[in-house]
Amino acid sequence: MVRGAWDNVIPPILCYHKIDPRFELGFTRLGPRVFRRQIETLAKAGYATLGSADLLAPPPHPAPRTVVLSFDDAYSGLAEHAFPVLADHGFKALIFAITDFVGRENSWDVQYGWRKFFHLDWDALGRWRERGMEVHSHGVSHARLTWLGDAAAADELGRSRAVIAERLGAPPAAISYPFGACDARVRRLAVEAGYTLGFAGPAHAGSRDPMLLAREPVYAWEPAGMPMVLRDDGLGELARGVARVTNRCSVGTAVFQRVLGRRYGGSGFSG
């Protein structure tokens, strides 16, 4: 269990995907202007960002306003439109890379509107890692782990961790379960693969298990300014509810990929 300062309250963990000016029909893209305004608002409100080490060993006196920023899929647009903004404010973040697609086109995903995006390459991941952006695993191929047998799921978990260790010099502590999908079996396999942190979908809200930490997805309709999912009023509750429903719709994308007979699962709604 996550202990210490997080015994009662886990800091909010936000999940972003694409930060890119190009429009697409999916829900995971956020415009650079909106993202910049969100980060500026968090900074002005006195928020501090946490990394994986903070979650595993919470500080004795955490700042009253803390947040974890995470980015699934490691899209190349982050290097231009997201990471410099974070660096300007001294913010850290967790990046979850799909190891078979580092530096490649996102052909694993459903191409909503036939718009293709590229992923960061290893050189870029290494450079930003040196500037405080942690690189962790999002699997080998973005397959939905709960739909795989033990051997295939273990391969996704273990091989992606080994590749990151080989390319960047250290094994990642964390796994972001593709689609946020995790059950007791996948959790066990992730622990056996060596992970000490696991990030799941909003369905696990309230969990203090470090291998089942829930995140709040930030989707395309979020406004500039304070992210709606961080608000503690009725609008915030509505935003969190809509995000959770949308996250559940991601199963439809995985089904669509399976019908197409592709090897890889997709995440048009949530990664």
Side-chain angles (χ1 to χ4, degrees), residues 149-163:
D150 284 4
D155 179 68
E156 284 276 339
L157 292 161
R159 186 152 54 96
S160 61
R161 190 167 188 264
V163 168

Side-chain angles (χ1 to χ4, degrees), residues 8-271:
N8 297 314
V9 178
I10 296 291
I13 305 171
L14 302 187
C15 177
Y16 292 91
H17 294 81
K18 305 180 188 78
I19 309 298
D20 201 291
R22 294 174 298 161
F23 177 78
E24 70 161 351
L25 296 178
F27 296 155
T28 60
R29 184 200 68 92
L30 200 68
R33 184 186 68 83
V34 172
F35 177 77
R36 176 179 287 276
R37 288 286 303 278
Q38 287 190 351
I39 297 305
E40 290 173 347
T41 301
L42 290 173
K44 289 178 181 177
Y47 274 85
T49 54
L50 303 179
S52 59
D54 301 310
L55 290 172
L56 287 168
H61 302 291
R65 293 188 174 186
T66 54
V67 65
V68 178
L69 303 177
S70 67
F71 296 84
D72 275 4
D73 308 328
Y75 280 106
S76 62
L78 299 176
E80 180 178 358
H81 304 297
F83 298 158
V85 178
L86 299 180
D88 286 346
H89 292 90
F91 282 2
K92 63 182 76 172
L94 280 60
I95 312 164
F96 294 100
I98 311 165
T99 56
D100 262 9
F101 287 89
V102 171
R104 295 175 55 192
E105 210 171 65
N106 68 331
S107 58
W108 57 271
D109 200 359
V110 174
Q111 306 298 327
Y112 290 95
W114 296 274
R115 176 81 72 184
K116 294 183 179 181
F117 296 84
F118 277 84
H119 298 281
L120 291 165
D121 61 25
W122 289 112
D123 287 344
L125 287 170
R127 287 195 302 272
W128 283 104
R129 182 171 174 269
E130 292 175 353
R131 297 184 64 181
M133 307 301 163
E134 301 181 25
V135 180
H136 298 278
S137 171
H138 202 31
V140 171
S141 66
H142 206 290
R144 193 179 186 93
L145 300 178
T146 53
W147 288 6
L148 300 180
D150 284 4
D155 179 68
E156 284 276 339
L157 292 161
R159 186 152 54 96
S160 61
R161 190 167 188 264
V163 168
I164 292 172
E166 178 184 357
R167 298 303 297 259
L168 299 182
I175 174 72
S176 167
Y177 306 108
F179 304 97
C182 182
D183 54 21
R185 180 183 65 95
V186 169
R187 181 198 181 282
R188 171 179 58 80
L189 292 171
V191 171
E192 292 174 356
Y195 296 101
T196 51
L197 283 173
F199 293 87
H204 292 277
S207 169
R208 292 193 293 276
D209 182 342
M211 295 303 298
L212 282 174
L213 295 177
R215 292 183 295 171
E216 296 293 348
V218 181
Y219 288 127
W221 49 77
E222 281 275 352
M226 182 63 67
M228 292 280 286
V229 293
L230 288 184
R231 294 175 59 132
D232 57 5
D233 56 11
L235 287 176
E237 186 60 35
L238 175 62
R240 289 186 289 274
V242 171
R244 288 165 190 168
V245 170
T246 305
N247 179 263
R248 290 180 180 179
C249 291
S250 66
V251 70
T253 305
V255 169
F256 183 62
Q257 290 282 7
R258 177 170 287 188
V259 169
L260 288 178
R262 296 184 183 178
R263 175 185 171 194
Y264 303 107
S267 68
F269 292 93
S270 175

